[in-house]
Amino acid sequence: MAYYFSEPSRTFSEYLLVPGYSSKECRPENVSLATPIVKFRKGERPKTAMNIPLSSAIMQAVSDDKMAIALAKEGGISFIYASQSVESQAAMVKRVKAHKAGFVKSDSNIRPDQTLADILALKQKSGHSTTAVTEDGTAEGRIVGLVTSRSYRVSRMPLETRVSEFMTPLSELIYAEEGISLSEANDMLWDNKLNALPVIDKNGRLTYFVFRKDYDSHKENPNELLDEYKRYMVGAGVNTRDYEERIPALVESGADVLCIDSSEGYTEWQRDVIAFVRKRYGEEVKIGAGNVVERDGFRFLAECGADFVKVGIGGGSICITREQKGIGRGQASAVIEVSQARDEYFEKTGVYIPICSDGGIVYDYHMTLALAMGADFLMLGRYFSRFDESPGNKLNINGNYVKEYWGEGSNRARNWQRYDFGGDSSLSFEEGVDSYVPYAGKLKDNLGLSLSKVKSTMCNCGVLDIPSLQRDTKLTIVSATSIVEGGAHDVILKEQTSSMR
């Protein structure tokens, strides 16, 4: 007969952390949230680690190059979504890798025969006030001038004025030649009181910009996640269909870590993808796999050679896999069991394989619970989709600002490769929804508050790092009535009284 789990399938909301002894050292500024991303042997350091335990989901509505840059600045990593062409995904990865080291590819370019109206439209679209004027209007064209916000006054110039009439021509620009170091470029910025320094190759083509704001940004973001060349780190999703083409392109583009994007990871297809990576690249290319919800799935992917294992089926806010198929497991139960399997594997083999909790995070405190239950890092979709840096459109619905958020299993994403087992394509069905989430503003402002809560909670538990949280924390299951007790109760909230009038 079928196997029945003795315990019910539980969610994060069914648990609370129990405070532990806190010494005077238990202050948020002393807490480290550093965590490994990929496997390592006992006594060794992981090759790839994060400064915060958060990654953004492999979703069209969440992880593009803009999100990847914003999250890397804070110490986390994005996995660029795979439900796009190989060329498009590789280009996103390249833009992230090119952005750092202070050398930025220009994404605001115009021809000299265009007009002030075109400049204003481009500024509205890109948000940038510095525009490169190149012969062909591309980022790699021969540069002929530069336009900044000081170059024109809208109130005193006709919109038909050609760019060539008000740009600063190349002959009057201070620029650097290709090959200059970042330190030398920053010195030129400061010595010449510049906001932007064009870097030009021997053929007069624009290769990069170095911006003063990026120097300031580095000082403001001490947790930046950088590779050995001081470039932002970025991950990328792959599927189990075109991986033989996609993976080499992503490796060539500079992706630091890959992850198989699939609704269910306990499959022969995932074994084939990992085998392809190991045969072609050995252990140099890092690839995670998943998703699984119990120990057998973890062991399978661990023995296949996965560098990390993703946990969770059906727990995402836009996922309807459980409704459609009746498969999955409460995220808390899944994380607890897979964490135990991870520890058993480590004890047996000496190889530690990090696990990533994917889904089920509704409140900030769920982050701390997931980490305490054994997750090494978390993958979040809805959380990051709310921010300016996500790809979704910002809309005003009934007087409230929202962002669009849709699942990879929705008809909008049409990422059938993520769920498909083959067969007649006409029989495909949705496993995700198309929705809105409340707009929340900039990533940096919100993420800082969320991580502050995590650190504060860890201090209440008497721990200063994630391994100690996993080892020393006490957790308790909560009853339905204690959940009610945990919120505001038996009072009339002020906002309710104002609505009664």
Side-chain angles (χ1 to χ4, degrees):
M1 62 179 291
Y3 176 81
Y4 289 84
F5 287 87
S6 58
E7 286 293 316
S9 178
R10 297 192 183 276
T11 67
F12 294 132
S13 290
E14 295 177 77
Y15 288 87
L16 286 175
L17 292 156
V18 177
Y21 171 74
S22 300
S23 71
K24 292 181 180 179
E25 291 299 307
C26 288
R27 300 193 303 272
E29 62 266 28
N30 292 335
V31 173
S32 168
L33 293 178
T35 191
I37 305 176
V38 300
K39 67 184 177 185
F40 59 94
R41 292 194 170 274
K42 189 174 184 178
E44 297 179 351
R45 293 171 61 91
K47 183 175 180 181
T48 307
M50 288 189 287
N51 295 323
I52 62 171
L54 302 182
S55 63
S56 65
I58 311 170
M59 299 175 66
Q60 293 176 11
V62 181
S63 295
D64 62 0
D65 48 307
K66 187 176 180 181
M67 175 61 71
I69 291 167
L71 186 51
K73 286 181 178 180
E74 303 304 316
I77 195 166
S78 289
F79 287 86
I80 304 293
Y81 68 92
S83 52
Q84 59 179 316
S85 71
V86 173
E87 294 76 17
S88 176
Q89 188 185 21
M92 285 188 181
V93 172
K94 286 180 181 178
R95 286 198 291 271
V96 178
K97 302 307 289 187
H99 187 91
K100 202 47 192 172
F103 295 101
V104 183
K105 282 284 187 183
S106 176
D107 60 359
S108 185
N109 310 283
I110 204 162
R111 299 189 314 275
D113 62 337
Q114 291 182 267
T115 66
L116 176 59
D118 296 321
I119 283 284
L120 297 177
L122 184 58
K123 182 178 180 180
Q124 176 74 19
K125 179 181 178 180
S126 69
H128 301 314
S129 58
T130 299
T131 302
V133 186
T134 61
E135 287 182 343
D136 59 3
T138 69
E140 296 80 22
R142 290 176 59 87
I143 187 167
V144 295
L146 199 65
V147 172
T148 71
S149 57
R150 298 178 182 178
S151 303
Y152 55 87
R153 292 186 66 178
V154 177
S155 61
R156 297 191 178 185
M157 293 172 58
L159 293 178
E160 298 78 23
T161 307
R162 292 188 180 276
V163 170
S164 58
E165 296 179 33
F166 59 88
M167 71 180 188
T168 302
L170 180 61
S171 59
E172 297 178 18
L173 285 178
I174 296 173
Y175 60 87
E177 295 182 355
E178 191 175 28
I180 191 173
S181 70
L182 180 59
S183 177
E184 292 168 335
N186 281 324
D187 286 342
M188 288 185 68
L189 282 171
W190 289 99
D191 291 346
N192 294 282
K193 298 181 174 60
L194 303 174
N195 290 322
L197 178 70
V199 180
I200 301 172
D201 69 13
K202 60 182 180 180
N203 296 315
R205 296 185 180 277
L206 179 65
T207 56
Y208 298 104
F209 272 115
V210 179
F211 292 101
R212 179 194 291 257
K213 65 180 177 63
D214 286 340
Y215 177 86
D216 296 335
S217 173
H218 176 66
K219 298 301 180 184
E220 295 171 2
N221 298 293
N223 283 329
E224 283 182 319
L225 190 61
L226 306 175
D227 66 15
E228 58 185 320
Y229 302 107
K230 306 298 182 185
R231 302 174 301 181
Y232 286 134
M233 296 185 70
V234 60
V238 300
N239 59 55
T240 58
R241 296 295 188 266
D242 64 5
Y243 60 90
E244 292 184 350
E245 176 189 2
R246 190 174 295 270
I247 289 176
L250 294 172
V251 171
E252 177 67 23
S253 68
D256 296 283
V257 59
L258 306 176
C259 183
I260 303 172
D261 179 33
S262 176
S263 64
E264 206 271 299
Y266 194 2
T267 70
E268 186 175 359
W269 287 287
Q270 295 221 2
R271 182 177 65 187
D272 290 346
V273 176
I274 298 170
F276 170 81
V277 170
R278 295 293 170 249
K279 181 178 181 180
R280 183 156 181 164
Y281 302 103
E283 295 294 330
E284 284 303 305
V285 170
K286 305 301 181 182
I287 184 166
N291 288 16
V292 299
V293 292
E294 43 78 53
R295 64 180 64 247
D296 290 342
F298 172 84
R299 288 190 190 126
F300 171 78
L301 293 176
E303 290 167 2
C304 287
D307 286 294
F308 67 86
V309 173
K310 204 143 63 79
V311 180
I313 294 176
S317 61
I318 42 68
C319 184
I320 55 173
T321 293
R322 296 180 194 175
E323 288 183 18
Q324 294 280 46
K325 291 182 174 179
I327 65 169
R329 196 177 188 187
Q331 191 66 8
S333 296
V335 170
I336 291 169
E337 180 169 331
V338 175
S339 296
Q340 292 170 347
R342 186 260 328 272
D343 294 343
E344 292 166 3
Y345 188 85
F346 179 54
E347 189 69 27
K348 178 181 177 181
T349 66
V351 177
Y352 187 91
I353 301 176
I355 67 169
C356 168
S357 176
D358 177 18
I361 301 293
V362 180
Y363 306 107
D364 287 348
Y365 82 89
H366 287 171
M367 297 180 186
T368 320
L369 280 168
L371 295 170
M373 290 172 180
D376 295 282
F377 63 102
L378 318 177
M379 181 170 281
L380 306 173
R382 181 193 60 84
Y383 179 85
F384 287 113
S385 70
R386 304 172 301 145
F387 303 144
D388 286 323
E389 295 83 358
S390 74
N393 292 319
K394 177 183 172 184
L395 306 171
N396 189 309
I397 305 292
N398 297 326
N400 297 309
Y401 282 105
V402 296
K403 292 272 291 193
E404 293 179 307
Y405 180 43
W406 60 98
E408 288 297 291
S410 68
N411 190 54
R412 176 172 180 173
R414 307 192 70 81
N415 185 9
W416 307 131
Q417 290 180 328
R418 189 177 195 273
Y419 302 87
D420 171 32
F421 283 93
D424 188 344
S425 60
S426 67
L427 300 180
S428 296
F429 53 89
E430 291 185 85
E431 294 187 42
V433 299
D434 196 344
S435 64
Y436 302 118
V437 290
Y439 167 68
K442 293 184 180 299
L443 178 147
K444 184 179 182 65
D445 298 337
N446 290 273
L447 187 60
L449 179 60
S450 296
L451 294 179
S452 178
K453 293 179 185 178
V454 172
K455 290 181 178 182
S456 180
T457 304
M458 289 172 65
C459 288
N460 290 138
C461 295
V463 298
L464 294 175
D465 56 40
I466 292 173
S468 299
L469 178 70
Q470 295 170 344
R471 182 183 64 245
D472 301 332
T473 298
K474 298 176 183 178
L475 296 102
T476 181
I477 295 174
V478 297
S479 67
T481 51
S482 67
I483 292 175
V484 174
E485 180 186 65
H489 61 90
D490 300 316
V491 294
I492 299 174
L493 299 180
K494 289 186 176 180
E495 56 265 31
Q496 291 179 353
T497 59
S498 62
S499 66
M500 291 178 187
R501 297 193 183 106

